[in-house]
Amino acid sequence: MATNILVPQLGNEVTEAEITEWLASVGDNVKSGEVIVVISTTKTALEIESPIDGVLSEILANEGELTEAGATIGVIE
Amino acid sequence: MTDALLHKIGGEGPDILLIHGFGADRLSWLALAPKLFQFGTIWAIEYGAHGAAGNDVGDGSLTDLATAIEAKVKKELKSPIIVGHSLGGTLALLLISRGFVVSSGLVLLAPAGFGKTLDISFIRELPEVVDGAAAHELLKQLVVRKNLITKRMADAFVETLENTQRRTALQAIANTLKKATPPPLPPDIPNIILWGDSDEVLSPPLNPPTEVKLLSNVGHLPHVEAVEDVVKAIQTIIDIKSD
């Protein structure tokens, strides 16, 4: 079953984040809790962990892209 | 009146107060704060010349900054655990040592001046930057993994300095810190001090007056590069309080 990787809600004041670095590539096996992507606001960086064990099947936002809080940026199957 | 703003970030329960470092603000806690909602009510203070606070910093001294924080915190928060980063750690020590705030526990992240001078080149240089590229190079000193500091962050910081009152106020703090005496560690309050072993801004003290837990391959921002270690430290302080 596919599980989306989401940009977390960043509070009322921050609505978007930049994809700083993908630490996994499409096709990689990832573990639950493993940091797979780093995002950043204008103030700080946040590490996003894989929610499940699986394979990173899609990257929907590339490094350098701005994404909205709550957006799906990747898929794990 | 010297400026400070207190922000309620989220959570419910015992008060936990976050005090940011020089040049940072409430939003610099974004990676850590949501992970603390399970423990209590999370507050973040912004002192003068930072974030949404105004630019009145008095004479820029630690005392004036701490007095402004006291005015916002003392009536609102009950014996908070204080988490202070860098200059925020120094201010936490001053708030407690002068009796401005009663705290039930301390987690200090690379507290500035801990055991030595407050004359720190990063603090002197930060208010002087005039372009994004220079700011980017300077800010990258904060972390081991350099790509955690983006050009977008640096540009946003330089934009804040386009307000000349903000730049002048930061310069006033930096100038005053050079001559300041670091406050002592309070003897009767449970505390944990965390420090990145690869901190380029402020090296871990060689002969600290108390135990310092070194974090491997972490720079000056443990709350960004070692979030789970900071969460565990806060959990430990809460557990000590509960015993």
Side-chain angles (χ1 to χ4, degrees), chain B residues 87-158:
Chain B
L87 178 57
T90 314
L91 287 166
L93 292 173
L94 190 66
L95 284 164
I96 294 165
S97 66
R98 298 211 176 167
F100 290 177
V101 172
V102 176
S103 173
S104 57
L106 267 175
V107 175
L108 302 177
L109 313 174
F114 188 68
K116 53 182 184 181
T117 177
L118 281 157
D119 186 11
I120 299 160
S121 62
F122 178 86
I123 289 179
R124 288 199 310 271
E125 293 170 21
L126 194 61
E128 308 300 330
V129 295
V130 292
D131 65 77
H136 196 196
E137 286 307 307
L138 189 59
L139 293 172
K140 282 195 285 188
Q141 293 178 16
L142 291 166
V143 292
V144 170
R145 285 141 52 207
K146 302 302 179 189
N147 60 357
L148 293 179
I149 302 294
T150 63
K151 180 66 164 43
R152 185 165 163 258
M153 287 180 199
D155 289 342
F157 181 76
V158 171

Side-chain angles (χ1 to χ4, degrees), chain A:
Chain A
M1 193 177 89
T3 299
N4 292 337
I5 304 163
L6 305 176
V7 173
Q9 294 299 328
L10 302 166
N12 295 332
E13 300 177 274
V14 183
T15 57
E16 63 180 16
E18 179 180 353
I19 306 298
T20 305
E21 182 181 18
W22 279 98
L23 302 174
S25 302
V26 171
D28 283 355
N29 288 304
V30 295
K31 296 275 188 191
S32 175
E34 176 184 344
V35 176
I36 53 172
V37 59
V38 180
I39 65 170
S40 62
T41 69
T42 57
K43 300 292 185 179
T44 193
L46 294 89
E47 296 176 323
I48 309 296
E49 298 171 352
S50 173
I52 58 166
D53 292 348
V55 174
L56 180 62
S57 59
E58 283 188 84
I59 287 178
L60 301 172
N62 293 315
E63 292 175 6
E65 280 187 36
L66 287 178
T67 59
E68 292 185 356
T72 299
I73 56 175
V75 179
I76 297 175
E77 293 187 31

Side-chain angles (χ1 to χ4, degrees), chain B residues 150-235:
Chain B
T150 63
K151 180 66 164 43
R152 185 165 163 258
M153 287 180 199
D155 289 342
F157 181 76
V158 171
E159 195 176 321
T160 67
L161 294 182
E162 288 173 2
N163 177 335
T164 54
Q165 290 180 328
R166 170 74 33 127
R167 186 186 292 275
T168 302
L170 283 173
Q171 288 168 332
I173 296 172
N175 287 333
T176 308
L177 281 176
K178 283 190 282 190
K179 295 167 280 184
T181 304
L185 191 66
D188 302 326
I189 297 173
N191 64 79
I192 293 177
I193 299 170
L194 301 178
W195 219 300
D197 71 351
S198 304
D199 190 331
E200 293 177 41
V201 170
L202 198 55
S203 299
L206 294 175
N207 299 299
T210 188
E211 183 183 352
V212 171
K213 182 183 177 188
L214 291 179
L215 303 171
S216 177
N217 205 32
V218 170
H220 192 59
L221 304 179
H223 52 301
V224 175
E225 290 192 286
V227 177
E228 291 306 323
D229 289 293
V230 178
V231 172
K232 280 179 195 164
I234 294 166
Q235 173 75 73

